[in-house]
Amino acid sequence: MLYLVPTPIGNLEDLTLRALRILREVDLIACEDTRTSAKLLRHYGITTPTTSYHAHNEARKAAELVARMEAGARVALITDAGTPGISDPGFYLVRACLRRRIPVVALPGPTAFVPALAASGLPTDRFVFEGFLPVKKGRQKRLAELAAEPRTIVLYESPHRLLRTLDDLARALGEERPAVVARELTKTFEEFARGTLRTLHAYYAAQPRVRGELVLVVAGTGYRPDPEWPRDRAIVISSYTPETAS
Ligand code: SAM
């Protein structure tokens, strides 16, 4: 049995009771980074043995984990943050398990794009999750496809590529397209910046450095935002409260 166990994306309280029980009960926890996960496991007093499973050892390690599961072991997969399999190496192991008819149980829980989309203020009834845009090969083609996308677009991006991506999206989708940057979700300095691709670029270009983790939410083509949507400059709302501090 393989359990996919979502872990907090910042605030350590965001671990479900079921996740806690499964992490305590399994024989082995496969972690994307054992040192990162050690903090979480220590916080909750979980002493289950761990092993590493990440993008650079996935083929060898998946075979090893599958052999353990075929011998009867119950394994939980956790990644550095959020739901295993969402823009991280979970998929390979899931496929390897299913090929051998090993049951895969996915627990519901934290994932960064859901709170970003839910609080974005852009339509949530239909959306497309694009993960990370290709950095080089295929980037222009993907951008051209997104220009015709009517659903809300959700992207992951690293802080050092944010300006380039906002710029590329503005060229492909139009600089007045409404968009939102959700940064440091569930962490002490959580903030939502709402504006257009142009004004968000201007806002972040004026910062000394963009830090932290972020999700980019962009309106689909044809969407008419309500008249109050910030168009002239980005409006940044920091949602820090003592309760969101991790
Ligand atoms: N498996 C994860 C999930 O379920 O969301 C995603 C893993 S992916 C390697 C990491 C990316 O997720 C980051 O670059 C960022 O775009 C997004 N992310 C993770 N934690 C976040 C947070 N606290 N706030 C905003 N974005 C976050």
Side-chain angles (χ1 to χ4, degrees):
M1 182 82 97
L2 175 72
Y3 292 96
L4 304 176
V5 180
T7 53
I9 57 168
N11 191 323
L12 290 182
E13 287 179 353
D14 293 331
L15 188 75
T16 67
L17 295 175
R18 186 176 169 210
L20 208 50
R21 179 176 60 77
I22 298 288
L23 291 176
R24 291 201 171 113
E25 285 179 3
V26 289
D27 301 297
L28 184 65
I29 303 174
C31 312
E32 186 174 6
D33 182 333
T34 48
R35 280 166 309 176
T36 303
S37 297
K39 290 179 209 147
L40 176 78
L41 301 177
R42 209 178 307 121
H43 182 82
Y44 282 104
I46 296 165
T47 53
T48 309
T50 60
T51 187
S52 77
Y53 168 79
H54 48 69
H56 304 292
N57 71 0
E58 61 182 10
R60 177 178 63 76
K61 212 51 199 255
E64 198 180 304
L65 290 169
V66 163
R68 299 265 316 245
M69 286 182 262
E70 285 185 315
R74 300 202 311 163
V75 175
L77 175 65
I78 63 178
T79 50
D80 288 350
T83 298
I86 304 300
S87 291
D88 65 28
F91 168 70
Y92 193 96
L93 183 59
V94 169
R95 193 178 55 180
C97 284
L98 296 178
R99 282 179 176 159
R100 306 297 301 214
R101 305 280 185 268
I102 295 170
V104 176
V105 175
L107 273 62
T111 195
F113 77 83
V114 173
L117 173 69
S120 67
L122 294 173
T124 54
D125 54 340
R126 298 179 73 211
F127 64 91
V128 50
F129 175 66
E130 283 287 324
F132 293 94
L133 282 177
V135 177
K136 287 189 186 127
K137 194 165 172 283
R139 187 172 174 93
Q140 290 310 321
K141 183 167 175 281
R142 186 73 59 86
L143 287 163
E145 286 165 7
L146 291 180
E149 175 57 65
R151 294 167 292 184
T152 301
I153 301 160
V154 187
L155 298 155
Y156 283 167
E157 193 47 283
S158 69
H160 71 274
R161 270 198 286 267
L162 176 65
L163 287 177
R164 179 185 160 207
T165 293
L166 287 171
D167 199 34
D168 286 352
L169 286 166
R171 282 173 213 269
L173 279 57
E175 56 178 20
E176 298 308 318
R177 186 73 71 92
V180 179
V181 174
R183 214 174 56 81
E184 294 290 81
L185 289 162
T186 79
K187 300 186 196 177
T188 304
F189 297 105
E190 173 177 300
E191 77 178 20
F192 277 76
R194 297 181 180 83
T196 63
L197 291 169
R198 174 179 59 83
T199 62
L200 288 169
H201 186 281
Y203 172 73
Y204 285 106
Q207 307 295 312
R209 199 176 133 201
V210 185
R211 287 170 195 271
E213 297 192 280
L214 49 96
V215 181
L216 194 50
V217 187
V218 185
T221 185
Y223 173 64
R224 290 189 202 294
D226 78 42
E228 300 305 314
W229 189 266
R231 288 170 184 279
D232 301 335
R233 65 185 181 90
I235 301 286
V236 183
I237 299 177
S238 162
S239 21
Y240 171 71
T241 63
E243 288 76 38
T244 59
S246 54

mmCIF file of all heavy atoms in Angstrom, residues 40-83:
data_model
loop_
_atom_site.group_PDB
_atom_site.id
_atom_site.type_symbol
_atom_site.label_atom_id
_atom_site.label_comp_id
_atom_site.label_asym_id
_atom_site.label_seq_id
_atom_site.Cartn_x
_atom_site.Cartn_y
_atom_site.Cartn_z
ATOM 1 N N LEU A 40 9.201 18.522 10.383
ATOM 2 C CA LEU A 40 7.770 18.250 10.556
ATOM 3 C C LEU A 40 7.575 17.030 11.459
ATOM 4 O O LEU A 40 6.777 17.045 12.400
ATOM 5 C CB LEU A 40 7.133 17.994 9.185
ATOM 6 C CG LEU A 40 5.657 17.606 9.201
ATOM 7 C CD1 LEU A 40 4.791 18.850 9.424
ATOM 8 C CD2 LEU A 40 5.253 16.927 7.889
ATOM 9 N N LEU A 41 8.323 15.976 11.171
ATOM 10 C CA LEU A 41 8.144 14.724 11.917
ATOM 11 C C LEU A 41 8.524 14.927 13.381
ATOM 12 O O LEU A 41 7.855 14.439 14.294
ATOM 13 C CB LEU A 41 8.965 13.600 11.266
ATOM 14 C CG LEU A 41 8.590 13.312 9.795
ATOM 15 C CD1 LEU A 41 9.484 12.238 9.196
ATOM 16 C CD2 LEU A 41 7.126 12.890 9.667
ATOM 17 N N ARG A 42 9.604 15.687 13.605
ATOM 18 C CA ARG A 42 10.029 15.972 14.978
ATOM 19 C C ARG A 42 8.951 16.772 15.710
ATOM 20 O O ARG A 42 8.610 16.492 16.851
ATOM 21 C CB ARG A 42 11.346 16.756 14.955
ATOM 22 C CG ARG A 42 12.204 16.523 16.170
ATOM 23 C CD ARG A 42 13.526 17.261 16.124
ATOM 24 N NE ARG A 42 14.307 17.037 14.921
ATOM 25 C CZ ARG A 42 14.687 18.000 14.079
ATOM 26 N NH1 ARG A 42 14.368 19.260 14.297
ATOM 27 N NH2 ARG A 42 15.397 17.725 13.003
ATOM 28 N N HIS A 43 8.399 17.763 15.005
ATOM 29 C CA HIS A 43 7.366 18.618 15.600
ATOM 30 C C HIS A 43 6.203 17.778 16.125
ATOM 31 O O HIS A 43 5.623 18.073 17.160
ATOM 32 C CB HIS A 43 6.872 19.624 14.540
ATOM 33 C CG HIS A 43 5.843 20.581 15.032
ATOM 34 N ND1 HIS A 43 6.179 21.723 15.724
ATOM 35 C CD2 HIS A 43 4.493 20.567 14.959
ATOM 36 C CE1 HIS A 43 5.079 22.378 16.038
ATOM 37 N NE2 HIS A 43 4.037 21.699 15.590
ATOM 38 N N TYR A 44 5.862 16.714 15.373
ATOM 39 C CA TYR A 44 4.717 15.887 15.768
ATOM 40 C C TYR A 44 5.144 14.613 16.504
ATOM 41 O O TYR A 44 4.324 13.732 16.744
ATOM 42 C CB TYR A 44 3.858 15.541 14.536
ATOM 43 C CG TYR A 44 2.997 16.722 14.139
ATOM 44 C CD1 TYR A 44 3.315 17.502 13.034
ATOM 45 C CD2 TYR A 44 1.892 17.083 14.902
ATOM 46 C CE1 TYR A 44 2.549 18.596 12.693
ATOM 47 C CE2 TYR A 44 1.118 18.185 14.571
ATOM 48 C CZ TYR A 44 1.450 18.932 13.473
ATOM 49 O OH TYR A 44 0.692 20.022 13.149
ATOM 50 N N GLY A 45 6.400 14.482 16.825
ATOM 51 C CA GLY A 45 6.874 13.311 17.581
ATOM 52 C C GLY A 45 6.715 12.011 16.800
ATOM 53 O O GLY A 45 6.464 10.949 17.373
ATOM 54 N N ILE A 46 6.846 12.073 15.460
ATOM 55 C CA ILE A 46 6.699 10.868 14.630
ATOM 56 C C ILE A 46 8.082 10.229 14.468
ATOM 57 O O ILE A 46 9.027 10.894 14.027
ATOM 58 C CB ILE A 46 6.103 11.233 13.247
ATOM 59 C CG1 ILE A 46 4.686 11.797 13.442
ATOM 60 C CG2 ILE A 46 6.075 10.023 12.313
ATOM 61 C CD1 ILE A 46 4.133 12.506 12.228
ATOM 62 N N THR A 47 8.162 8.943 14.820
ATOM 63 C CA THR A 47 9.482 8.284 14.820
ATOM 64 C C THR A 47 9.602 7.207 13.736
ATOM 65 O O THR A 47 10.553 6.428 13.721
ATOM 66 C CB THR A 47 9.743 7.649 16.209
ATOM 67 O OG1 THR A 47 8.621 6.806 16.524
ATOM 68 C CG2 THR A 47 9.916 8.699 17.286
ATOM 69 N N THR A 48 8.634 7.167 12.816
ATOM 70 C CA THR A 48 8.664 6.192 11.710
ATOM 71 C C THR A 48 9.961 6.369 10.905
ATOM 72 O O THR A 48 10.361 7.511 10.636
ATOM 73 C CB THR A 48 7.441 6.458 10.783
ATOM 74 O OG1 THR A 48 6.274 6.504 11.606
ATOM 75 C CG2 THR A 48 7.300 5.394 9.721
ATOM 76 N N PRO A 49 10.605 5.258 10.498
ATOM 77 C CA PRO A 49 11.821 5.399 9.677
ATOM 78 C C PRO A 49 11.539 6.129 8.359
ATOM 79 O O PRO A 49 10.446 6.014 7.809
ATOM 80 C CB PRO A 49 12.236 3.951 9.406
ATOM 81 C CG PRO A 49 11.486 3.120 10.374
ATOM 82 C CD PRO A 49 10.267 3.869 10.796
ATOM 83 N N THR A 50 12.553 6.871 7.892
ATOM 84 C CA THR A 50 12.396 7.622 6.633
ATOM 85 C C THR A 50 13.460 7.175 5.622
ATOM 86 O O THR A 50 14.496 6.628 5.992
ATOM 87 C CB THR A 50 12.547 9.143 6.857
ATOM 88 O OG1 THR A 50 13.850 9.392 7.395
ATOM 89 C CG2 THR A 50 11.493 9.692 7.781
ATOM 90 N N THR A 51 13.175 7.449 4.364
ATOM 91 C CA THR A 51 14.153 7.215 3.306
ATOM 92 C C THR A 51 13.937 8.310 2.269
ATOM 93 O O THR A 51 12.882 8.933 2.243
ATOM 94 C CB THR A 51 13.963 5.806 2.688
ATOM 95 O OG1 THR A 51 15.034 5.556 1.793
ATOM 96 C CG2 THR A 51 12.656 5.679 1.922
ATOM 97 N N SER A 52 14.955 8.559 1.425
ATOM 98 C CA SER A 52 14.766 9.662 0.474
ATOM 99 C C SER A 52 14.241 9.148 -0.866
ATOM 100 O O SER A 52 14.591 8.062 -1.333
ATOM 101 C CB SER A 52 16.088 10.414 0.280
ATOM 102 O OG SER A 52 16.919 9.669 -0.557
ATOM 103 N N TYR A 53 13.360 9.934 -1.456
ATOM 104 C CA TYR A 53 12.827 9.663 -2.790
ATOM 105 C C TYR A 53 12.647 11.016 -3.461
ATOM 106 O O TYR A 53 11.847 11.839 -3.008
ATOM 107 C CB TYR A 53 11.476 8.920 -2.697
ATOM 108 C CG TYR A 53 10.753 8.885 -4.024
ATOM 109 C CD1 TYR A 53 11.112 7.970 -5.023
ATOM 110 C CD2 TYR A 53 9.734 9.789 -4.316
ATOM 111 C CE1 TYR A 53 10.487 7.964 -6.254
ATOM 112 C CE2 TYR A 53 9.104 9.793 -5.543
ATOM 113 C CZ TYR A 53 9.485 8.880 -6.508
ATOM 114 O OH TYR A 53 8.866 8.892 -7.737
ATOM 115 N N HIS A 54 13.471 11.275 -4.486
ATOM 116 C CA HIS A 54 13.389 12.598 -5.123
ATOM 117 C C HIS A 54 13.663 12.475 -6.616
ATOM 118 O O HIS A 54 13.938 11.364 -7.127
ATOM 119 C CB HIS A 54 14.365 13.578 -4.457
ATOM 120 C CG HIS A 54 15.741 13.024 -4.278
ATOM 121 N ND1 HIS A 54 16.571 12.771 -5.335
ATOM 122 C CD2 HIS A 54 16.412 12.632 -3.163
ATOM 123 C CE1 HIS A 54 17.710 12.263 -4.895
ATOM 124 N NE2 HIS A 54 17.639 12.155 -3.572
ATOM 125 N N ALA A 55 13.614 13.610 -7.305
ATOM 126 C CA ALA A 55 13.697 13.608 -8.774
ATOM 127 C C ALA A 55 14.978 12.951 -9.280
ATOM 128 O O ALA A 55 14.994 12.401 -10.385
ATOM 129 C CB ALA A 55 13.602 15.036 -9.288
ATOM 130 N N HIS A 56 16.054 12.967 -8.481
ATOM 131 C CA HIS A 56 17.325 12.444 -8.986
ATOM 132 C C HIS A 56 17.540 10.958 -8.693
ATOM 133 O O HIS A 56 18.500 10.366 -9.191
ATOM 134 C CB HIS A 56 18.489 13.273 -8.412
ATOM 135 C CG HIS A 56 18.319 14.725 -8.717
ATOM 136 N ND1 HIS A 56 18.415 15.213 -9.996
ATOM 137 C CD2 HIS A 56 17.993 15.770 -7.928
ATOM 138 C CE1 HIS A 56 18.166 16.512 -9.975
ATOM 139 N NE2 HIS A 56 17.914 16.874 -8.733
ATOM 140 N N ASN A 57 16.673 10.362 -7.850
ATOM 141 C CA ASN A 57 16.853 8.917 -7.620
ATOM 142 C C ASN A 57 15.542 8.162 -7.845
ATOM 143 O O ASN A 57 15.394 7.026 -7.416
ATOM 144 C CB ASN A 57 17.398 8.658 -6.199
ATOM 145 C CG ASN A 57 16.366 8.915 -5.104
ATOM 146 O OD1 ASN A 57 15.228 9.282 -5.370
ATOM 147 N ND2 ASN A 57 16.766 8.715 -3.853
ATOM 148 N N GLU A 58 14.584 8.799 -8.552
ATOM 149 C CA GLU A 58 13.229 8.244 -8.598
ATOM 150 C C GLU A 58 13.156 6.850 -9.236
ATOM 151 O O GLU A 58 12.411 6.003 -8.738
ATOM 152 C CB GLU A 58 12.235 9.210 -9.262
ATOM 153 C CG GLU A 58 12.551 9.555 -10.687
ATOM 154 C CD GLU A 58 11.565 10.546 -11.307
ATOM 155 O OE1 GLU A 58 10.738 11.131 -10.598
ATOM 156 O OE2 GLU A 58 11.655 10.734 -12.536
ATOM 157 N N ALA A 59 13.949 6.586 -10.295
ATOM 158 C CA ALA A 59 13.825 5.286 -10.963
ATOM 159 C C ALA A 59 14.322 4.165 -10.052
ATOM 160 O O ALA A 59 13.608 3.193 -9.780
ATOM 161 C CB ALA A 59 14.615 5.302 -12.272
ATOM 162 N N ARG A 60 15.540 4.337 -9.522
ATOM 163 C CA ARG A 60 16.126 3.310 -8.648
ATOM 164 C C ARG A 60 15.293 3.167 -7.370
ATOM 165 O O ARG A 60 14.950 2.075 -6.936
ATOM 166 C CB ARG A 60 17.568 3.716 -8.302
ATOM 167 C CG ARG A 60 18.272 2.776 -7.355
ATOM 168 C CD ARG A 60 19.699 3.206 -7.109
ATOM 169 N NE ARG A 60 19.823 4.508 -6.459
ATOM 170 C CZ ARG A 60 19.612 4.749 -5.170
ATOM 171 N NH1 ARG A 60 19.226 3.766 -4.378
ATOM 172 N NH2 ARG A 60 19.760 5.949 -4.664
ATOM 173 N N LYS A 61 14.930 4.294 -6.793
ATOM 174 C CA LYS A 61 14.239 4.276 -5.503
ATOM 175 C C LYS A 61 12.812 3.751 -5.629
ATOM 176 O O LYS A 61 12.308 3.060 -4.748
ATOM 177 C CB LYS A 61 14.257 5.693 -4.923
ATOM 178 C CG LYS A 61 14.300 5.765 -3.432
ATOM 179 C CD LYS A 61 15.404 4.911 -2.844
ATOM 180 C CE LYS A 61 15.154 4.642 -1.386
ATOM 181 N NZ LYS A 61 16.015 5.418 -0.513
ATOM 182 N N ALA A 62 12.147 4.094 -6.753
ATOM 183 C CA ALA A 62 10.774 3.596 -6.947
ATOM 184 C C ALA A 62 10.800 2.070 -6.994
ATOM 185 O O ALA A 62 9.960 1.407 -6.369
ATOM 186 C CB ALA A 62 10.173 4.176 -8.219
ATOM 187 N N ALA A 63 11.794 1.486 -7.700
ATOM 188 C CA ALA A 63 11.891 0.021 -7.800
ATOM 189 C C ALA A 63 12.087 -0.579 -6.399
ATOM 190 O O ALA A 63 11.462 -1.580 -6.038
ATOM 191 C CB ALA A 63 13.040 -0.358 -8.719
ATOM 192 N N GLU A 64 12.941 0.073 -5.610
ATOM 193 C CA GLU A 64 13.222 -0.411 -4.246
ATOM 194 C C GLU A 64 11.957 -0.321 -3.369
ATOM 195 O O GLU A 64 11.627 -1.278 -2.647
ATOM 196 C CB GLU A 64 14.316 0.503 -3.683
ATOM 197 C CG GLU A 64 15.053 -0.019 -2.496
ATOM 198 C CD GLU A 64 16.092 1.033 -2.076
ATOM 199 O OE1 GLU A 64 16.924 1.430 -2.924
ATOM 200 O OE2 GLU A 64 16.030 1.474 -0.909
ATOM 201 N N LEU A 65 11.246 0.790 -3.474
ATOM 202 C CA LEU A 65 10.044 0.977 -2.652
ATOM 203 C C LEU A 65 8.942 0.007 -3.080
ATOM 204 O O LEU A 65 8.243 -0.563 -2.234
ATOM 205 C CB LEU A 65 9.553 2.431 -2.746
ATOM 206 C CG LEU A 65 10.455 3.466 -2.068
ATOM 207 C CD1 LEU A 65 10.046 4.888 -2.436
ATOM 208 C CD2 LEU A 65 10.422 3.297 -0.537
ATOM 209 N N VAL A 66 8.812 -0.199 -4.388
ATOM 210 C CA VAL A 66 7.805 -1.135 -4.887
ATOM 211 C C VAL A 66 8.110 -2.541 -4.352
ATOM 212 O O VAL A 66 7.201 -3.247 -3.880
ATOM 213 C CB VAL A 66 7.764 -1.106 -6.443
ATOM 214 C CG1 VAL A 66 7.052 -2.341 -6.994
ATOM 215 C CG2 VAL A 66 7.074 0.166 -6.927
ATOM 216 N N ALA A 67 9.380 -2.918 -4.340
ATOM 217 C CA ALA A 67 9.755 -4.252 -3.825
ATOM 218 C C ALA A 67 9.376 -4.362 -2.340
ATOM 219 O O ALA A 67 8.840 -5.384 -1.903
ATOM 220 C CB ALA A 67 11.252 -4.484 -4.021
ATOM 221 N N ARG A 68 9.612 -3.298 -1.581
ATOM 222 C CA ARG A 68 9.245 -3.327 -0.146
ATOM 223 C C ARG A 68 7.728 -3.471 0.014
ATOM 224 O O ARG A 68 7.249 -4.211 0.870
ATOM 225 C CB ARG A 68 9.695 -2.033 0.563
ATOM 226 C CG ARG A 68 11.174 -1.762 0.558
ATOM 227 C CD ARG A 68 11.917 -2.233 1.792
ATOM 228 N NE ARG A 68 11.330 -1.991 3.088
ATOM 229 C CZ ARG A 68 11.836 -1.200 4.031
ATOM 230 N NH1 ARG A 68 12.942 -0.530 3.785
ATOM 231 N NH2 ARG A 68 11.264 -1.080 5.206
ATOM 232 N N MET A 69 6.983 -2.738 -0.818
ATOM 233 C CA MET A 69 5.512 -2.797 -0.701
ATOM 234 C C MET A 69 4.990 -4.166 -1.120
ATOM 235 O O MET A 69 4.052 -4.692 -0.523
ATOM 236 C CB MET A 69 4.877 -1.669 -1.529
ATOM 237 C CG MET A 69 5.046 -0.301 -0.873
ATOM 238 S SD MET A 69 4.267 1.036 -1.777
ATOM 239 C CE MET A 69 5.634 1.706 -2.685
ATOM 240 N N GLU A 70 5.621 -4.753 -2.153
ATOM 241 C CA GLU A 70 5.195 -6.100 -2.573
ATOM 242 C C GLU A 70 5.473 -7.125 -1.478
ATOM 243 O O GLU A 70 4.786 -8.134 -1.375
ATOM 244 C CB GLU A 70 5.899 -6.498 -3.882
ATOM 245 C CG GLU A 70 5.283 -5.765 -5.064
ATOM 246 C CD GLU A 70 5.852 -6.200 -6.400
ATOM 247 O OE1 GLU A 70 7.095 -6.316 -6.501
ATOM 248 O OE2 GLU A 70 5.063 -6.400 -7.332
ATOM 249 N N ALA A 71 6.452 -6.819 -0.634
ATOM 250 C CA ALA A 71 6.763 -7.717 0.490
ATOM 251 C C ALA A 71 5.866 -7.403 1.700
ATOM 252 O O ALA A 71 6.040 -7.978 2.770
ATOM 253 C CB ALA A 71 8.232 -7.577 0.858
ATOM 254 N N GLY A 72 4.936 -6.467 1.534
ATOM 255 C CA GLY A 72 3.952 -6.212 2.591
ATOM 256 C C GLY A 72 4.103 -4.897 3.329
ATOM 257 O O GLY A 72 3.295 -4.584 4.210
ATOM 258 N N ALA A 73 5.133 -4.102 2.999
ATOM 259 C CA ALA A 73 5.335 -2.847 3.737
ATOM 260 C C ALA A 73 4.282 -1.804 3.344
ATOM 261 O O ALA A 73 3.825 -1.765 2.203
ATOM 262 C CB ALA A 73 6.732 -2.305 3.461
ATOM 263 N N ARG A 74 3.909 -0.989 4.318
ATOM 264 C CA ARG A 74 3.027 0.161 4.033
ATOM 265 C C ARG A 74 3.922 1.393 4.014
ATOM 266 O O ARG A 74 4.630 1.670 4.990
ATOM 267 C CB ARG A 74 1.946 0.284 5.100
ATOM 268 C CG ARG A 74 1.083 -0.974 5.163
ATOM 269 C CD ARG A 74 -0.265 -0.739 5.782
ATOM 270 N NE ARG A 74 -0.163 -0.024 7.048
ATOM 271 C CZ ARG A 74 -1.197 0.591 7.625
ATOM 272 N NH1 ARG A 74 -2.362 0.606 7.053
ATOM 273 N NH2 ARG A 74 -1.042 1.196 8.775
ATOM 274 N N VAL A 75 3.873 2.100 2.901
ATOM 275 C CA VAL A 75 4.776 3.235 2.703
ATOM 276 C C VAL A 75 3.949 4.512 2.535
ATOM 277 O O VAL A 75 2.931 4.512 1.832
ATOM 278 C CB VAL A 75 5.667 3.014 1.453
ATOM 279 C CG1 VAL A 75 6.526 4.248 1.146
ATOM 280 C CG2 VAL A 75 6.549 1.782 1.636
ATOM 281 N N ALA A 76 4.406 5.602 3.183
ATOM 282 C CA ALA A 76 3.787 6.916 2.949
ATOM 283 C C ALA A 76 4.784 7.750 2.165
ATOM 284 O O ALA A 76 5.985 7.737 2.461
ATOM 285 C CB ALA A 76 3.471 7.604 4.275
ATOM 286 N N LEU A 77 4.290 8.463 1.161
ATOM 287 C CA LEU A 77 5.146 9.396 0.431
ATOM 288 C C LEU A 77 4.795 10.811 0.849
ATOM 289 O O LEU A 77 3.616 11.199 0.827
ATOM 290 C CB LEU A 77 4.940 9.241 -1.086
ATOM 291 C CG LEU A 77 5.704 10.260 -1.945
ATOM 292 C CD1 LEU A 77 7.221 10.074 -1.819
ATOM 293 C CD2 LEU A 77 5.284 10.138 -3.420
ATOM 294 N N ILE A 78 5.816 11.571 1.273
ATOM 295 C CA ILE A 78 5.610 12.993 1.541
ATOM 296 C C ILE A 78 6.661 13.773 0.742
ATOM 297 O O ILE A 78 7.729 13.255 0.435
ATOM 298 C CB ILE A 78 5.675 13.356 3.052
ATOM 299 C CG1 ILE A 78 7.058 13.070 3.650
ATOM 300 C CG2 ILE A 78 4.620 12.605 3.826
ATOM 301 C CD1 ILE A 78 7.166 13.471 5.131
ATOM 302 N N THR A 79 6.312 15.018 0.393
ATOM 303 C CA THR A 79 7.286 15.835 -0.333
ATOM 304 C C THR A 79 7.603 17.055 0.535
ATOM 305 O O THR A 79 7.144 17.147 1.680
ATOM 306 C CB THR A 79 6.757 16.218 -1.722
ATOM 307 O OG1 THR A 79 5.444 16.753 -1.593
ATOM 308 C CG2 THR A 79 6.723 15.009 -2.632
ATOM 309 N N ASP A 80 8.392 17.983 0.011
ATOM 310 C CA ASP A 80 8.817 19.106 0.862
ATOM 311 C C ASP A 80 7.628 19.914 1.358
ATOM 312 O O ASP A 80 7.659 20.465 2.457
ATOM 313 C CB ASP A 80 9.781 20.013 0.094
ATOM 314 C CG ASP A 80 11.136 19.339 -0.078
ATOM 315 O OD1 ASP A 80 11.353 18.284 0.557
ATOM 316 O OD2 ASP A 80 11.959 19.862 -0.845
ATOM 317 N N ALA A 81 6.612 20.017 0.530
ATOM 318 C CA ALA A 81 5.413 20.782 0.928
ATOM 319 C C ALA A 81 4.266 20.389 0.015
ATOM 320 O O ALA A 81 4.467 20.129 -1.168
ATOM 321 C CB ALA A 81 5.680 22.281 0.797
ATOM 322 N N GLY A 82 3.077 20.332 0.586
ATOM 323 C CA GLY A 82 1.881 20.129 -0.221
ATOM 324 C C GLY A 82 1.621 18.678 -0.578
ATOM 325 O O GLY A 82 2.071 17.754 0.103
ATOM 326 N N THR A 83 0.903 18.497 -1.668
ATOM 327 C CA THR A 83 0.407 17.176 -2.047
ATOM 328 C C THR A 83 1.387 16.470 -2.980
ATOM 329 O O THR A 83 1.712 17.009 -4.038
ATOM 330 C CB THR A 83 -0.975 17.334 -2.733
ATOM 331 O OG1 THR A 83 -1.881 17.911 -1.788
ATOM 332 C CG2 THR A 83 -1.523 15.994 -3.193
#
